[in-house]
Amino acid sequence: MATKTATPWGPATLVEELTVPQRSGDKRFASVVQLLEGAKGERLVRFAYSTDGTARRGPVTLRERDVERLVSGLAGCPQLAETLGLGAKEVAAGKN
């Protein structure tokens, strides 16, 4: 069964999700990028971070190496990459 989630525009279904593990000293957390689909088929992209497996809203901060991991991870999330305006060529170039 598809995962449903609430957004300011109404209910949506989780289509793809990319998690980028991060750490700062002893702290471990992750940034999460989700591709959601609204009731009318519109695509929504949600950025969040998680601590202890719990998604949190708020500012998401990525270091340069985290952005590299994000781009690399998009190879496994083609619909999310497309929605972000990154085709396979751009994602492949980002992995180098």
Side-chain angles (χ1 to χ4, degrees):
M1 179 169 231
T3 301
K4 297 286 186 182
T5 188
T7 75
W9 298 275
T13 302
L14 178 64
V15 177
E16 287 182 338
E17 179 176 272
L18 174 60
T19 301
V20 180
Q22 295 175 275
R23 73 172 185 217
S24 176
D26 291 340
K27 296 180 192 175
R28 301 215 185 274
F29 54 99
S31 289
V32 180
V33 184
Q34 297 176 322
L35 175 61
L36 308 173
E37 185 174 288
K40 297 179 183 175
E42 67 272 28
R43 287 184 167 188
L44 307 165
V45 177
R46 176 164 49 197
F47 290 85
Y49 71 94
S50 68
T51 56
D52 299 322
T54 301
R56 314 250 185 235
R57 307 288 188 269
V60 174
T61 305
L62 299 169
R63 294 168 297 184
E64 185 175 1
R65 66 182 180 220
D66 298 322
V67 173
E68 291 169 1
R69 283 190 199 153
L70 175 91
V71 171
S72 179
L74 287 171
C77 299
Q79 293 178 77
L80 181 55
E82 179 184 332
T83 301
L84 290 171
L86 301 171
K89 188 176 186 179
E90 290 84 357
V91 170
K95 291 174 77 172
N96 296 331

mmCIF file of all heavy atoms in Angstrom, residues 7-41:
data_model
loop_
_atom_site.group_PDB
_atom_site.id
_atom_site.type_symbol
_atom_site.label_atom_id
_atom_site.label_comp_id
_atom_site.label_asym_id
_atom_site.label_seq_id
_atom_site.Cartn_x
_atom_site.Cartn_y
_atom_site.Cartn_z
ATOM 1 N N THR A 7 0.000 17.429 3.355
ATOM 2 C CA THR A 7 0.742 18.617 2.915
ATOM 3 C C THR A 7 -0.185 19.823 3.070
ATOM 4 O O THR A 7 -1.399 19.653 3.246
ATOM 5 C CB THR A 7 1.170 18.516 1.432
ATOM 6 O OG1 THR A 7 0.038 18.742 0.588
ATOM 7 C CG2 THR A 7 1.802 17.173 1.112
ATOM 8 N N PRO A 8 0.341 21.034 2.962
ATOM 9 C CA PRO A 8 -0.528 22.214 3.022
ATOM 10 C C PRO A 8 -1.559 22.244 1.880
ATOM 11 O O PRO A 8 -2.557 22.935 1.968
ATOM 12 C CB PRO A 8 0.445 23.384 2.896
ATOM 13 C CG PRO A 8 1.745 22.848 3.383
ATOM 14 C CD PRO A 8 1.758 21.408 2.952
ATOM 15 N N TRP A 9 -1.300 21.480 0.808
ATOM 16 C CA TRP A 9 -2.210 21.447 -0.346
ATOM 17 C C TRP A 9 -3.139 20.253 -0.307
ATOM 18 O O TRP A 9 -3.842 19.982 -1.260
ATOM 19 C CB TRP A 9 -1.396 21.427 -1.645
ATOM 20 C CG TRP A 9 -0.568 22.666 -1.764
ATOM 21 C CD1 TRP A 9 -0.965 23.874 -2.270
ATOM 22 C CD2 TRP A 9 0.764 22.843 -1.323
ATOM 23 N NE1 TRP A 9 0.055 24.784 -2.171
ATOM 24 C CE2 TRP A 9 1.138 24.177 -1.578
ATOM 25 C CE3 TRP A 9 1.704 22.017 -0.717
ATOM 26 C CZ2 TRP A 9 2.386 24.691 -1.278
ATOM 27 C CZ3 TRP A 9 2.950 22.527 -0.412
ATOM 28 C CH2 TRP A 9 3.278 23.851 -0.696
ATOM 29 N N GLY A 10 -3.129 19.523 0.795
ATOM 30 C CA GLY A 10 -3.999 18.361 0.942
ATOM 31 C C GLY A 10 -3.191 17.077 0.985
ATOM 32 O O GLY A 10 -1.959 17.093 0.988
ATOM 33 N N PRO A 11 -3.890 15.935 1.002
ATOM 34 C CA PRO A 11 -3.199 14.649 1.097
ATOM 35 C C PRO A 11 -2.372 14.370 -0.152
ATOM 36 O O PRO A 11 -2.695 14.832 -1.245
ATOM 37 C CB PRO A 11 -4.326 13.637 1.252
ATOM 38 C CG PRO A 11 -5.547 14.313 0.755
ATOM 39 C CD PRO A 11 -5.339 15.789 0.950
ATOM 40 N N ALA A 12 -1.296 13.613 0.040
ATOM 41 C CA ALA A 12 -0.429 13.237 -1.066
ATOM 42 C C ALA A 12 0.092 11.826 -0.825
ATOM 43 O O ALA A 12 0.056 11.318 0.292
ATOM 44 C CB ALA A 12 0.729 14.215 -1.192
ATOM 45 N N THR A 13 0.576 11.224 -1.895
ATOM 46 C CA THR A 13 1.148 9.888 -1.840
ATOM 47 C C THR A 13 2.653 9.986 -2.053
ATOM 48 O O THR A 13 3.112 10.697 -2.946
ATOM 49 C CB THR A 13 0.533 9.002 -2.953
ATOM 50 O OG1 THR A 13 -0.885 8.963 -2.771
ATOM 51 C CG2 THR A 13 1.072 7.593 -2.899
ATOM 52 N N LEU A 14 3.402 9.260 -1.250
ATOM 53 C CA LEU A 14 4.850 9.214 -1.394
ATOM 54 C C LEU A 14 5.192 8.365 -2.617
ATOM 55 O O LEU A 14 4.804 7.205 -2.711
ATOM 56 C CB LEU A 14 5.490 8.613 -0.142
ATOM 57 C CG LEU A 14 6.996 8.446 -0.158
ATOM 58 C CD1 LEU A 14 7.699 9.797 -0.252
ATOM 59 C CD2 LEU A 14 7.449 7.694 1.080
ATOM 60 N N VAL A 15 5.903 8.960 -3.581
ATOM 61 C CA VAL A 15 6.290 8.261 -4.813
ATOM 62 C C VAL A 15 7.721 7.739 -4.686
ATOM 63 O O VAL A 15 7.990 6.575 -4.965
ATOM 64 C CB VAL A 15 6.167 9.196 -6.042
ATOM 65 C CG1 VAL A 15 6.645 8.505 -7.304
ATOM 66 C CG2 VAL A 15 4.728 9.676 -6.199
ATOM 67 N N GLU A 16 8.643 8.611 -4.315
ATOM 68 C CA GLU A 16 10.046 8.230 -4.128
ATOM 69 C C GLU A 16 10.610 9.007 -2.946
ATOM 70 O O GLU A 16 10.151 10.107 -2.645
ATOM 71 C CB GLU A 16 10.899 8.552 -5.359
ATOM 72 C CG GLU A 16 10.657 7.636 -6.529
ATOM 73 C CD GLU A 16 11.540 7.939 -7.725
ATOM 74 O OE1 GLU A 16 12.049 9.075 -7.858
ATOM 75 O OE2 GLU A 16 11.706 7.024 -8.542
ATOM 76 N N GLU A 17 11.630 8.407 -2.328
ATOM 77 C CA GLU A 17 12.272 9.071 -1.197
ATOM 78 C C GLU A 17 13.766 8.783 -1.246
ATOM 79 O O GLU A 17 14.188 7.652 -1.491
ATOM 80 C CB GLU A 17 11.695 8.550 0.113
ATOM 81 C CG GLU A 17 12.325 9.177 1.350
ATOM 82 C CD GLU A 17 11.657 8.705 2.619
ATOM 83 O OE1 GLU A 17 10.672 9.344 3.027
ATOM 84 O OE2 GLU A 17 12.102 7.688 3.186
ATOM 85 N N LEU A 18 14.546 9.822 -1.026
ATOM 86 C CA LEU A 18 15.992 9.693 -0.976
ATOM 87 C C LEU A 18 16.461 10.189 0.388
ATOM 88 O O LEU A 18 16.093 11.289 0.811
ATOM 89 C CB LEU A 18 16.633 10.529 -2.085
ATOM 90 C CG LEU A 18 18.156 10.627 -2.093
ATOM 91 C CD1 LEU A 18 18.796 9.246 -2.225
ATOM 92 C CD2 LEU A 18 18.607 11.522 -3.232
ATOM 93 N N THR A 19 17.239 9.370 1.086
ATOM 94 C CA THR A 19 17.778 9.731 2.390
ATOM 95 C C THR A 19 19.289 9.880 2.266
ATOM 96 O O THR A 19 19.959 8.990 1.746
ATOM 97 C CB THR A 19 17.446 8.650 3.435
ATOM 98 O OG1 THR A 19 16.021 8.519 3.504
ATOM 99 C CG2 THR A 19 17.971 9.017 4.806
ATOM 100 N N VAL A 20 19.798 11.017 2.722
ATOM 101 C CA VAL A 20 21.235 11.296 2.687
ATOM 102 C C VAL A 20 21.742 11.298 4.129
ATOM 103 O O VAL A 20 21.489 12.247 4.875
ATOM 104 C CB VAL A 20 21.524 12.662 2.013
ATOM 105 C CG1 VAL A 20 23.015 12.936 1.989
ATOM 106 C CG2 VAL A 20 20.931 12.714 0.609
ATOM 107 N N PRO A 21 22.446 10.240 4.543
ATOM 108 C CA PRO A 21 22.973 10.187 5.908
ATOM 109 C C PRO A 21 24.020 11.285 6.119
ATOM 110 O O PRO A 21 24.823 11.570 5.226
ATOM 111 C CB PRO A 21 23.617 8.808 6.004
ATOM 112 C CG PRO A 21 23.106 8.033 4.841
ATOM 113 C CD PRO A 21 22.755 9.035 3.789
ATOM 114 N N GLN A 22 24.007 11.890 7.310
ATOM 115 C CA GLN A 22 24.955 12.940 7.647
ATOM 116 C C GLN A 22 25.408 12.763 9.091
ATOM 117 O O GLN A 22 24.763 12.055 9.868
ATOM 118 C CB GLN A 22 24.302 14.321 7.493
ATOM 119 C CG GLN A 22 23.905 14.663 6.073
ATOM 120 C CD GLN A 22 23.161 15.981 6.019
ATOM 121 O OE1 GLN A 22 21.962 16.005 6.219
ATOM 122 N NE2 GLN A 22 23.883 17.061 5.771
ATOM 123 N N ARG A 23 26.500 13.445 9.434
ATOM 124 C CA ARG A 23 26.930 13.458 10.825
ATOM 125 C C ARG A 23 27.755 14.703 11.074
ATOM 126 O O ARG A 23 28.361 15.276 10.182
ATOM 127 C CB ARG A 23 27.682 12.205 11.192
ATOM 128 C CG ARG A 23 29.056 12.113 10.626
ATOM 129 C CD ARG A 23 29.792 10.933 11.194
ATOM 130 N NE ARG A 23 31.146 11.000 10.689
ATOM 131 C CZ ARG A 23 31.858 9.981 10.352
ATOM 132 N NH1 ARG A 23 31.367 8.774 10.467
ATOM 133 N NH2 ARG A 23 33.074 10.140 9.904
ATOM 134 N N SER A 24 27.732 15.111 12.305
ATOM 135 C CA SER A 24 28.537 16.233 12.775
ATOM 136 C C SER A 24 29.067 15.831 14.139
ATOM 137 O O SER A 24 28.294 15.751 15.102
ATOM 138 C CB SER A 24 27.697 17.507 12.871
ATOM 139 O OG SER A 24 28.456 18.569 13.401
ATOM 140 N N GLY A 25 30.321 15.513 14.196
ATOM 141 C CA GLY A 25 30.871 14.987 15.444
ATOM 142 C C GLY A 25 30.197 13.674 15.790
ATOM 143 O O GLY A 25 30.164 12.764 14.974
ATOM 144 N N ASP A 26 29.615 13.595 16.982
ATOM 145 C CA ASP A 26 28.912 12.382 17.402
ATOM 146 C C ASP A 26 27.452 12.359 16.972
ATOM 147 O O ASP A 26 26.779 11.346 17.122
ATOM 148 C CB ASP A 26 28.976 12.241 18.929
ATOM 149 C CG ASP A 26 30.386 11.937 19.424
ATOM 150 O OD1 ASP A 26 31.204 11.464 18.607
ATOM 151 O OD2 ASP A 26 30.662 12.182 20.608
ATOM 152 N N LYS A 27 26.948 13.472 16.457
ATOM 153 C CA LYS A 27 25.539 13.549 16.053
ATOM 154 C C LYS A 27 25.342 12.851 14.704
ATOM 155 O O LYS A 27 26.089 13.069 13.772
ATOM 156 C CB LYS A 27 25.089 14.999 15.914
ATOM 157 C CG LYS A 27 25.115 15.788 17.179
ATOM 158 C CD LYS A 27 24.655 17.211 16.887
ATOM 159 C CE LYS A 27 24.928 18.129 18.048
ATOM 160 N NZ LYS A 27 24.590 19.517 17.708
ATOM 161 N N ARG A 28 24.311 12.034 14.647
ATOM 162 C CA ARG A 28 23.955 11.360 13.398
ATOM 163 C C ARG A 28 22.529 11.762 13.041
ATOM 164 O O ARG A 28 21.638 11.733 13.888
ATOM 165 C CB ARG A 28 24.053 9.854 13.548
ATOM 166 C CG ARG A 28 25.454 9.409 13.933
ATOM 167 C CD ARG A 28 25.818 8.101 13.308
ATOM 168 N NE ARG A 28 27.104 7.617 13.767
ATOM 169 C CZ ARG A 28 28.264 7.966 13.229
ATOM 170 N NH1 ARG A 28 28.292 8.815 12.245
ATOM 171 N NH2 ARG A 28 29.388 7.463 13.685
ATOM 172 N N PHE A 29 22.333 12.141 11.808
ATOM 173 C CA PHE A 29 21.025 12.568 11.317
ATOM 174 C C PHE A 29 21.009 12.338 9.825
ATOM 175 O O PHE A 29 21.960 11.787 9.268
ATOM 176 C CB PHE A 29 20.753 14.040 11.676
ATOM 177 C CG PHE A 29 21.840 14.985 11.220
ATOM 178 C CD1 PHE A 29 21.692 15.713 10.053
ATOM 179 C CD2 PHE A 29 22.996 15.137 11.968
ATOM 180 C CE1 PHE A 29 22.699 16.576 9.633
ATOM 181 C CE2 PHE A 29 23.995 16.005 11.562
ATOM 182 C CZ PHE A 29 23.856 16.720 10.388
ATOM 183 N N ALA A 30 19.946 12.718 9.153
ATOM 184 C CA ALA A 30 19.854 12.537 7.708
ATOM 185 C C ALA A 30 18.959 13.610 7.107
ATOM 186 O O ALA A 30 18.016 14.076 7.745
ATOM 187 C CB ALA A 30 19.288 11.163 7.379
ATOM 188 N N SER A 31 19.279 13.979 5.884
ATOM 189 C CA SER A 31 18.386 14.836 5.115
ATOM 190 C C SER A 31 17.541 13.925 4.239
ATOM 191 O O SER A 31 18.026 12.905 3.740
ATOM 192 C CB SER A 31 19.169 15.820 4.244
ATOM 193 O OG SER A 31 19.780 16.789 5.068
ATOM 194 N N VAL A 32 16.291 14.282 4.088
ATOM 195 C CA VAL A 32 15.347 13.464 3.336
ATOM 196 C C VAL A 32 14.719 14.326 2.245
ATOM 197 O O VAL A 32 14.294 15.454 2.514
ATOM 198 C CB VAL A 32 14.238 12.908 4.269
ATOM 199 C CG1 VAL A 32 13.254 12.057 3.496
ATOM 200 C CG2 VAL A 32 14.850 12.137 5.425
ATOM 201 N N VAL A 33 14.696 13.790 1.014
ATOM 202 C CA VAL A 33 14.031 14.459 -0.103
ATOM 203 C C VAL A 33 12.950 13.503 -0.592
ATOM 204 O O VAL A 33 13.235 12.345 -0.915
ATOM 205 C CB VAL A 33 15.009 14.794 -1.246
ATOM 206 C CG1 VAL A 33 14.302 15.570 -2.342
ATOM 207 C CG2 VAL A 33 16.210 15.568 -0.730
ATOM 208 N N GLN A 34 11.710 13.973 -0.605
ATOM 209 C CA GLN A 34 10.582 13.122 -0.994
ATOM 210 C C GLN A 34 9.882 13.689 -2.214
ATOM 211 O O GLN A 34 9.652 14.900 -2.301
ATOM 212 C CB GLN A 34 9.560 13.037 0.135
ATOM 213 C CG GLN A 34 10.089 12.402 1.392
ATOM 214 C CD GLN A 34 9.067 12.427 2.507
ATOM 215 O OE1 GLN A 34 8.319 13.389 2.667
ATOM 216 N NE2 GLN A 34 9.035 11.358 3.302
ATOM 217 N N LEU A 35 9.539 12.801 -3.134
ATOM 218 C CA LEU A 35 8.670 13.155 -4.253
ATOM 219 C C LEU A 35 7.276 12.678 -3.871
ATOM 220 O O LEU A 35 7.058 11.503 -3.571
ATOM 221 C CB LEU A 35 9.114 12.472 -5.543
ATOM 222 C CG LEU A 35 8.193 12.677 -6.746
ATOM 223 C CD1 LEU A 35 8.079 14.161 -7.108
ATOM 224 C CD2 LEU A 35 8.680 11.874 -7.939
ATOM 225 N N LEU A 36 6.344 13.629 -3.824
ATOM 226 C CA LEU A 36 4.960 13.336 -3.464
ATOM 227 C C LEU A 36 4.067 13.619 -4.650
ATOM 228 O O LEU A 36 4.392 14.445 -5.511
ATOM 229 C CB LEU A 36 4.523 14.217 -2.286
ATOM 230 C CG LEU A 36 5.421 14.218 -1.049
ATOM 231 C CD1 LEU A 36 4.936 15.260 -0.051
ATOM 232 C CD2 LEU A 36 5.474 12.845 -0.413
ATOM 233 N N GLU A 37 2.935 12.951 -4.705
ATOM 234 C CA GLU A 37 1.942 13.219 -5.740
ATOM 235 C C GLU A 37 0.623 13.575 -5.068
ATOM 236 O O GLU A 37 0.114 12.816 -4.245
ATOM 237 C CB GLU A 37 1.760 12.003 -6.637
ATOM 238 C CG GLU A 37 0.828 12.273 -7.808
ATOM 239 C CD GLU A 37 0.775 11.119 -8.762
ATOM 240 O OE1 GLU A 37 1.761 10.905 -9.487
ATOM 241 O OE2 GLU A 37 -0.259 10.406 -8.763
ATOM 242 N N GLY A 38 0.114 14.749 -5.422
ATOM 243 C CA GLY A 38 -1.145 15.217 -4.864
ATOM 244 C C GLY A 38 -2.334 14.519 -5.491
ATOM 245 O O GLY A 38 -2.200 13.751 -6.452
ATOM 246 N N ALA A 39 -3.509 14.788 -4.963
ATOM 247 C CA ALA A 39 -4.745 14.143 -5.413
ATOM 248 C C ALA A 39 -5.033 14.367 -6.893
ATOM 249 O O ALA A 39 -5.617 13.523 -7.556
ATOM 250 C CB ALA A 39 -5.918 14.639 -4.576
ATOM 251 N N LYS A 40 -4.596 15.507 -7.431
ATOM 252 C CA LYS A 40 -4.828 15.820 -8.841
ATOM 253 C C LYS A 40 -3.638 15.452 -9.720
ATOM 254 O O LYS A 40 -3.555 15.866 -10.869
ATOM 255 C CB LYS A 40 -5.152 17.305 -9.003
ATOM 256 C CG LYS A 40 -6.430 17.709 -8.303
ATOM 257 C CD LYS A 40 -6.698 19.182 -8.455
ATOM 258 C CE LYS A 40 -7.941 19.591 -7.678
ATOM 259 N NZ LYS A 40 -8.151 21.035 -7.703
ATOM 260 N N GLY A 41 -2.681 14.713 -9.178
ATOM 261 C CA GLY A 41 -1.525 14.267 -9.936
ATOM 262 C C GLY A 41 -0.353 15.235 -9.943
ATOM 263 O O GLY A 41 0.660 14.972 -10.577
#
